Amino acid sequence: MKLSAPELRMLRLCLQRTMREDEATLHSLDPDSDAHAELGNDLMLMDALVSKLEHALKASYQGR
């Protein structure tokens, strides 16, 4: 499945928004809790996905 540049941008924006919200939540959790660990892992995965989306966007612009 190939996504268009606008679709990639929208996905990136949605992930970035979710990351900001989750980062705020992370600070309110007990650092020793399972919820804190799970949310931290989710944030790392979202960060990796944002990087991949940014790479795909750069490639789509260079292909024009």
Side-chain angles (χ1 to χ4, degrees), residues 9-19 21 46:
R9 279 195 309 273
M10 182 56 66
L11 286 171
R12 183 187 63 188
L13 289 172
C14 290
L15 277 172
Q16 288 172 328
R17 182 179 309 124
T18 301
M19 286 177 67
E21 293 167 358
M46 283 188 272

Side-chain angles (χ1 to χ4, degrees), residues 26-51:
L26 186 69
H27 295 300
S28 69
L29 297 174
D30 175 11
D32 295 324
S33 70
D34 288 342
H36 186 276
E38 288 177 20
L39 190 53
N41 288 336
D42 291 348
L43 283 165
M44 287 190 291
L45 178 58
M46 283 188 272
D47 187 55
L49 289 170
V50 167
S51 293

Side-chain angles (χ1 to χ4, degrees), residues 1-9 11 53 55-64:
M1 170 176 65
K2 184 171 172 125
L3 299 173
S4 68
E7 291 169 327
L8 292 170
R9 279 195 309 273
L11 286 171
L53 288 168
H55 179 73
L57 274 169
K58 285 180 186 177
S60 73
Y61 288 129
Q62 290 173 351
R64 285 187 176 180

